[in-house]
Amino acid sequence: MYVNRFLFETIHQEFNSSQVKLCNLLYLLTMNQPSNSGLVIEMTQEYIADILGMSRVQITRELTDLRNRGILSTTRGKLTVTDLPTLASLCTDETM
């Protein structure tokens, strides 16, 4: 878990907002999924919070915003990206 966080933070700059950090991570995870898994990320909010070094409350707020915007949907332990182009537009250039 901590190796993942280190690698992620090495790629991305610390000064990004929590939403940008989350979008960057979700985009990278989506693009690196096995081809048969589609746009589903099997990961808990708590695990995402640990990777990003944020509180679960922050992650919940950001995911709620992304859900309300129609960018993703969530179920227990899974996130499904429903609008990949919009998610990509919220990412930094380093992610693309």
Side-chain angles (χ1 to χ4, degrees), residues 65-81:
D65 181 52
L66 295 174
R67 270 195 314 269
N68 290 339
R69 295 167 70 177
I71 296 170
L72 58 82
S73 62
T74 58
T75 56
R76 189 170 189 88
K78 291 184 184 179
L79 300 150
T80 303
V81 176

Side-chain angles (χ1 to χ4, degrees), residues 1 5 7 11 15 18 22 28 30 32 42 45-47 54 60 69 77 79 82 90 92 94-95:
M1 166 177 45
R5 179 175 177 207
L7 291 172
I11 295 169
F15 59 83
S18 58
L22 177 60
L28 290 172
T30 300
N32 292 299
E42 293 191 31
Q45 292 181 16
E46 180 132 359
Y47 190 67
M54 296 171 17
T60 301
R69 295 167 70 177
L79 300 150
T82 55
L90 297 172
T92 59
E94 300 89 22
T95 302

